Amino acid sequence: MAEAWLSIIGLGEDGPSGLTQASRLALQSAEFVFGGRRHLDLMGIQGQVWPLPFSIAPVLALRGKRVAVLASGDPFWHGVGGTFASVLEPGEYRSFPAASSFSLACAAMGWRIEDIICLGLHAAPLTQLRPMLTRGQRIICLLRDGQAVGELAAYLTQSGFGPSQITALQALGGPREKHFSFQADCFEITDISAPVCAAVTVRGALGLPTSNGIDDALFEHDGQITKRWTRAVTLSALAPRVGDILWDIGAGSGSVSIEFLLCAAASQSHAVESDPSRAARAISNAEAFGLGHRFHLSQVRAPEGLANLPRPDAVFIGGGASDALLSALWRLIPTGTRLVANAVTLENEALFIALQARHGGTLLRIDLSQATSLGTKRGWQAMRPIVQWSVTK
């Protein structure tokens, strides 16, 4: 289009006085204005309030007319800007950002923004904090409302981070701005209102390890779990990279998927598990680690359903490997896909030997022993050996 028809205007709590001249002109020239009730009230204008549930469809229906959208702060940082950009051509819109809540919060706290983890949790579960919780980490998170501040304090306390220091920052940059500081396990404030964000200094329990092979006790499982030492070797072979897609076939507890997602930012796991109780347990584990939004599970028996999944960068088979399954997988996966399969039976070991002769790759026998009590002394207790075949197609 020759000229942008949509203006996405960032707005602070100071309302009209905080707008730039360019933002004012874009707003004045608009035939239609959309925004949240709070945004329209701040500006003192009549406009169209976003529908519930939220949808940008009413704006898209006016394509080609002069439309302005009011958004909080920087529309492209946890805002509606990205939503529009995903469906419009770059020339169709202009953005007029104001200072983001993150920038205002860092200024209020005296924190360097480049050192801070910034999260938008106003419409996401608090469990997404879990991978970031480690002693001394500073986090700023956008929250839904004042009640969500109490929910954040309760979540931190229940997770072993009760000593964490929280500063709730209400209506930053406007006449209603207030700061409330408290320890998570001592929260008693009842008069915090939206918009609000929380600045958190994490204290208390140790965070999640960043190495592969985290403790099995961190997962709910029925014994069908890739044990931590085998999991560490498996993750090394899977070699997670930022943005990778994993197929986890026979997910069990979901432990391999979860560690894969912890290793690689923006990665996704598409798991397959036929047992209903294990499927539910894997989903629950992913949610507890704050990874539910990146873990997707199909309750089917592979290779059923695999053809409909996004093409993988890596594939893991933790159990139930068969010649039929691996043959189907080899046809489905694109060139360059990393495939790792573990086996405990002699039959699957023989299968892997044949497949390695046919397709190449590496065969590895993982044979570990652990010191245990033996009468009044100690001896080595051998674990069941694992044979691993890893190959890049």
Side-chain angles (χ1 to χ4, degrees), residues 186-201:
C186 299
F187 177 76
E188 295 180 346
I189 305 168
T190 59
D191 59 346
I192 305 172
S193 61
V196 62
C197 64
V200 181
T201 300

Side-chain angles (χ1 to χ4, degrees), residues 227-370:
K227 301 298 191 294
R228 63 180 302 184
W229 311 117
T230 303
R231 196 182 326 121
V233 176
T234 298
L235 265 291
S236 177
L238 286 169
R241 292 172 172 84
V242 172
D244 271 358
I245 293 175
L246 170 71
W247 285 3
D248 185 355
I249 299 174
S253 67
S255 63
V256 170
S257 279
I258 287 166
E259 287 216 47
F260 190 99
L261 298 177
L262 288 172
C263 286
S267 58
Q268 301 277 329
S269 173
H270 291 265
V272 173
E273 175 55 62
S274 60
D275 183 273
S277 60
R278 288 177 183 163
R281 192 177 293 115
I283 292 170
S284 176
N285 278 329
E287 290 174 346
F289 277 85
L291 299 168
H293 59 303
R294 291 164 53 198
F295 179 78
H296 317 279
L297 187 140
S298 301
Q299 192 181 310
V300 295
R301 184 177 296 279
E304 182 184 343
L306 294 181
N308 299 322
L309 299 180
R311 298 300 87 187
D313 300 288
V315 177
F316 173 62
I317 306 173
S322 67
D323 193 17
L325 171 60
L326 285 160
S327 296
L329 269 175
W330 200 256
R331 291 192 298 270
L332 281 172
I333 62 177
T335 300
T337 303
R338 307 180 298 280
L339 187 151
V340 178
N342 290 348
V344 295
T345 67
L346 294 174
E347 289 78 8
N348 277 348
E349 181 176 341
L351 172 63
F352 288 0
I353 291 171
L355 288 169
Q356 193 260 351
R358 190 186 314 162
H359 298 298
T362 301
L363 280 175
L364 179 69
R365 180 181 167 100
I366 306 168
D367 201 347
L368 301 172
S369 297
Q370 191 167 20

Side-chain angles (χ1 to χ4, degrees), residues 34 48-51 55-63 67:
F34 287 79
Q48 300 187 49
V49 181
W50 292 116
S55 170
I56 64 171
V59 174
L60 298 180
L62 297 170
R63 202 170 197 156
V67 182

Side-chain angles (χ1 to χ4, degrees), residues 1-224:
M1 300 182 71
E3 184 178 350
W5 59 270
L6 177 64
S7 296
I8 308 171
I9 300 171
L11 184 65
E13 280 295 301
D14 49 359
S17 64
L19 291 181
T20 63
Q21 184 64 19
S23 296
R24 291 174 186 275
L25 291 173
L27 188 58
Q28 290 168 4
S29 65
E31 300 172 79
F32 303 92
V33 179
F34 287 79
R37 181 77 271 161
R38 181 174 63 86
H39 300 131
L40 296 171
D41 289 345
L42 277 170
M43 292 301 299
I45 60 176
Q46 296 295 318
Q48 300 187 49
V49 181
W50 292 116
L52 290 175
F54 175 80
S55 170
I56 64 171
V59 174
L60 298 180
L62 297 170
R63 202 170 197 156
K65 299 187 181 295
R66 295 191 302 276
V67 182
V69 165
L70 299 176
S72 296
D74 185 341
F76 279 87
W77 202 346
H78 298 286
V80 75
T83 307
F84 280 109
S86 67
V87 296
L88 298 179
E89 296 297 325
E92 292 189 79
Y93 62 88
R94 295 178 300 165
S95 179
F96 302 86
S100 70
S101 295
F102 298 117
S103 295
L104 294 172
C106 281
M109 299 298 296
W111 293 352
R112 291 180 180 270
I113 196 168
E114 67 268 23
D115 296 335
I116 308 304
I117 292 174
C118 299
L119 296 174
L121 299 181
H122 42 303
L126 293 172
T127 51
Q128 288 190 17
L129 277 168
R130 188 66 185 93
M132 291 81 175
L133 295 177
T134 186
R135 288 179 187 170
Q137 181 63 61
R138 289 173 169 176
I139 302 170
I140 294 174
C141 46
L142 308 183
L143 297 173
R144 181 187 68 250
D145 51 26
Q147 181 179 335
V149 176
E151 294 167 1
L152 169 65
Y155 174 72
L156 290 172
T157 301
Q158 293 161 7
S159 302
F161 298 93
S164 296
Q165 186 67 27
I166 301 176
T167 299
L169 303 162
Q170 171 189 293
L172 282 167
R176 297 190 301 115
E177 179 172 334
K178 288 184 180 180
H179 301 180
F180 306 85
S181 294
F182 52 90
Q183 190 168 294
D185 53 10
C186 299
F187 177 76
E188 295 180 346
I189 305 168
T190 59
D191 59 346
I192 305 172
S193 61
V196 62
C197 64
V200 181
T201 300
V202 180
R203 295 172 183 155
L206 292 172
L208 293 174
T210 57
S211 61
N212 293 332
I214 62 178
D215 196 331
D216 295 344
L218 293 171
F219 303 94
E220 292 184 16
H221 61 89
D222 60 1
Q224 291 292 341

